[in-house]
């Protein structure tokens, strides 16, 4: 119903302007605002979408650990999910989900999991996958080599880039 444009893109100049909120700029500004990213993350996202391989850049002192932390969380998620689907101990959890009409495709889509009642099942699994003890503990998955979560449903928490940022447990 608008009679005047409220958002304009100039392909020739490669800029945009939003008359509603007053913002404008290039593609990096747009992606940063729209995706809620910092500049380095916006560059990386655009490079991925364009199929451009970016050299591994370090923007913070601890940024070298960030990808490793995501990797460990992904491994933990796979471990918990596999437990829910296959572990005998998780049969009660599977029956509970079934009784609540939670379908298998929903379980798979959200990568729901189960932490068995083991002292160091996850910790041993992650260690075998060459995850560093201090990073496992930094993520809160274990304390002094012992699993933090036992006999719990595990719910992965995904960030805006669809990476596993943490877990909820019930």
């Amino acid at each position: 119903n608008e009679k005047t444009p409220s958002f304009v893109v100039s392909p020739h100049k490669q800029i945009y302007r939003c008359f509603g909120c007053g913002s404008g700029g290039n593609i990096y500004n747009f992606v940063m605002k729209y995706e809620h990213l910092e500049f380095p993350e916006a560059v990386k996202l655009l490079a991925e979408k364009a199929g451009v391989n970016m050299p591994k850049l370090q923007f913070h002192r601890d940024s070298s650990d960030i990808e490793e932390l995501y990797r460990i969380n992904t491994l933990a998620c796979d471990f918990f999910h596999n437990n829910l689907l296959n572990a005998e101990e998780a049969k009660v959890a599977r029956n509970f989900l079934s009784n609540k009409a939670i379908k298998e495709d929903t379980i798979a889509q959200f990568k729901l999991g189960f932490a068995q009642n083991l002292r160091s099942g996850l910790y041993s699994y992650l260690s075998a996958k060459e995850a560093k003890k201090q990073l496992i503990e930094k993520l809160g998955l274990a304390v002094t080599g012992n699993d933090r979560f036992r006999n719990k449903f595990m719910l992965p928490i995904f960030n805006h880039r669809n990476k596993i940022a943490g877990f909820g447990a019930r």
Side-chain angles (χ1 to χ4, degrees), residues 76 79-80 83 114-127 136-137 140-152 154:
F79 178 82
F80 294 138
N83 284 347
F114 182 75
Q116 294 173 292
N117 195 18
L118 300 172
R119 191 178 129 236
S120 62
L122 175 64
Y123 182 80
S124 297
Y125 174 78
L126 294 174
S127 295
I136 296 169
E137 292 181 359
L141 296 171
V143 178
T144 61
N146 293 313
D147 292 358
R148 180 175 299 250
F149 302 104
R150 297 182 192 174
N151 201 32
K152 302 265 187 204
M154 299 303 294

Side-chain angles (χ1 to χ4, degrees), residues 46 57 96 99 151 169:
L46 289 168
L57 303 174
F96 175 81
N99 291 338
N151 201 32

Side-chain angles (χ1 to χ4, degrees), residues 22-165:
S23 70
N26 60 25
I27 191 164
Y28 302 105
N29 300 112
F30 179 80
V31 170
M32 287 167 58
K33 190 172 235 19
Y34 187 79
E35 298 287 343
H36 307 287
L37 300 174
E38 297 295 324
F39 179 75
E41 295 171 311
V43 171
K44 186 175 180 182
L45 177 68
L46 289 168
E48 288 171 3
K49 286 186 182 249
V52 175
N53 290 326
M54 292 285 297
K56 193 166 188 166
L57 303 174
Q58 293 188 355
F59 300 104
H60 305 289
R61 266 191 242 157
D62 63 348
S63 68
S64 61
D65 289 343
I66 291 173
E67 290 305 317
E68 179 63 8
L69 292 170
Y70 284 132
R71 183 184 81 86
I72 293 169
N73 273 343
T74 300
L75 289 170
C77 182
D78 293 342
F79 178 82
F80 294 138
H81 186 64
N82 186 53
N83 284 347
L84 180 62
L85 298 179
N86 302 309
E88 184 63 32
E89 190 177 344
K91 188 173 185 178
V92 172
R94 288 191 297 272
N95 289 338
F96 175 81
L97 292 172
S98 178
N99 291 338
K100 293 291 184 184
I102 298 176
K103 299 177 182 173
E104 289 180 17
D105 60 335
T106 302
I107 293 168
Q109 179 183 359
F110 292 101
K111 300 203 74 132
L112 301 180
F114 182 75
Q116 294 173 292
N117 195 18
L118 300 172
R119 191 178 129 236
S120 62
L122 175 64
Y123 182 80
S124 297
Y125 174 78
L126 294 174
S127 295
K129 298 288 185 179
E130 299 181 1
K132 296 176 185 172
K133 177 183 177 181
Q134 67 267 25
L135 295 181
I136 296 169
E137 292 181 359
K138 182 176 184 176
L139 287 166
L141 296 171
V143 178
T144 61
N146 293 313
D147 292 358
R148 180 175 299 250
F149 302 104
R150 297 182 192 174
N151 201 32
K152 302 265 187 204
F153 278 112
M154 299 303 294
L155 309 155
I157 300 168
F158 294 89
N159 68 11
H160 62 281
R161 296 188 66 205
N162 207 31
K163 292 188 176 194
I164 300 168

